[in-house]
């Protein structure tokens, strides 16, 4: 089975490329789709890329049609938490989803796996969650058989959360918004890779939206403390009020500032506490334990 992975240079994409092919419902060839030559060059050395790396443009239907030839399933990973001058939530979430689903429909792709976010809701006042919800709606309305995987913060090799853990635990004093009391339920990036590959099977989780979360929900400060312990470090956590950070970001936004926004802050400071069993059972995966996730994060 040939599978196209968009956003293949992301941590999830790289985890899919590294994943054992035994997770696949059939012998698997992966086409790693990226937008830049630099990203393509970084991926080419990875083992197991039987079908290779392809450059695409979401604004060019022809480039998508060319790379979808012979593809049975698409895993769409493209998304951002922090907007950039050249990429808004609407562009990264909604427009790429629309381009991919339209191309999948034209090329008679059998299954579309869309990786979304916990909290996605097209009626949300938060633009991150709203555009994620709008992208999900595009996928559902496409007529292509699909599975939507809503996921929380990711831990493990190459993830932003792993980099943040290593950075924070390099210092004796760690400053956390709200004291790190937000409940987090991190998912291992390799578990998401396995789930995405398994969901490519047209007989698994067909036209379903699954909330795929890690096995444990706990305050973010405890994750940092465990990471520090694994590194043999002693830390002191200092709290900065969420309200003050939100006010500062709002002022910067009104002055035309870009980057980290109140929407992104809300995503990071909203509790996640969900039952991990239903999605894991439906996909047939065993979730990685939190201590192993943290170990893989700080040692990677």
């Amino acid at each position: 089975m040939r599978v196209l992975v968009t956003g293949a240079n992301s941590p999830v994409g790289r985890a899919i490329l590294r994943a054992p092919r035994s997770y696949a419902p059939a012998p698997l060839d992966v086409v790693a789709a990226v937008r830049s030559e630099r990203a393509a060059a970084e991926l080419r050395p990875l083992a197991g890329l039987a079908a290779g790396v392809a450059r695409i443009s979401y604004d060019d239907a022809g480039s998508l049609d060319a790379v979808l030839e012979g593809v049975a399933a698409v895993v769409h990973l493209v998304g951002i938490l922090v907007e950039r001058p050249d990429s808004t939530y609407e562009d990264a979430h909604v427009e790429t989803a629309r381009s991919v689903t339209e191309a999948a429909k034209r090329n008679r792709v059998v299954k579309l796996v869309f990786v979304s976010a916990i909290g996605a809701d097209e009626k949300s006042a938060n633009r991150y969650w709203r555009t994620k919800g709008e992208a999900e709606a595009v996928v559902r309305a496409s007529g292509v058989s699909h599975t939507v995987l809503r996921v929380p913060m990711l831990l493990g090799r190459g993830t932003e959360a792993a980099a943040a853990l290593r950075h924070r635990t390099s210092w004796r004093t760690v400053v956390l918004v709200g004291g790190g009391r937000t409940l987090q339920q991190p998912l291992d990036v390799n578990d998401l890779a396995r789930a995405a590959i398994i969901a490519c099977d047209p007989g698994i989780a067909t036209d379903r939206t699954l909330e795929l979360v890690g096995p444990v929900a706990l305050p973010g400060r405890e994750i940092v403390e465990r990471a520090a312990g694994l590194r043999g470090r002693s830390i002191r956590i200092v709290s900065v009020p969420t309200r003050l950070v939100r006010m500062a970001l709002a002022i910067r936004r009104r002055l035309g500032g870009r980057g980290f926004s109140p929407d992104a802050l809300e995503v990071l400071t909203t509790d996640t506490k969900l039952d991990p069993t239903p999605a894991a059972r439906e996909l047939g995966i065993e979730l990685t334990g939190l201590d192993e996730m943290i170990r893989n994060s700080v040692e990677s």
Side-chain angles (χ1 to χ4, degrees), residues 81-166:
L81 177 60
V82 178
E83 293 180 293
R84 304 185 301 271
D86 61 342
S87 184
T88 66
Y89 290 145
E90 288 76 13
D91 292 335
H93 300 160
V94 186
E95 295 309 318
T96 65
R98 182 172 290 113
S99 295
V100 168
T101 53
E102 289 175 353
K105 189 172 183 178
R106 284 195 306 272
N107 290 275
R108 301 187 179 183
V109 168
V110 176
K111 187 73 178 287
L112 175 60
V113 179
F114 177 57
V115 176
S116 184
I118 297 296
D121 181 356
E122 57 185 320
K123 296 181 180 178
S124 176
N126 180 295
R127 288 180 52 245
Y128 175 84
W129 284 324
R130 184 171 68 248
T131 53
K132 282 290 190 180
E134 290 169 349
E136 289 185 7
V138 168
V139 170
R140 294 189 190 99
S142 68
V144 179
S145 178
H146 60 271
T147 300
V148 175
L149 300 176
R150 291 180 177 170
V151 301
M153 177 182 77
L154 298 176
L155 278 177
R157 181 175 173 181
T159 63
E160 292 183 9
L165 271 184
R166 291 194 301 274

Side-chain angles (χ1 to χ4, degrees), residues 24-66:
L28 187 68
D29 285 337
V30 176
V31 181
V34 293
R35 285 183 278 192
S36 72
E37 179 55 38
R38 177 180 178 182
E42 290 175 353
L43 290 184
R44 288 191 184 104
L46 290 181
L49 291 182
V53 180
R55 287 187 62 188
I56 61 171
S57 170
Y58 296 103
D59 298 324
D60 180 0
S63 75
L64 291 171
D65 289 341

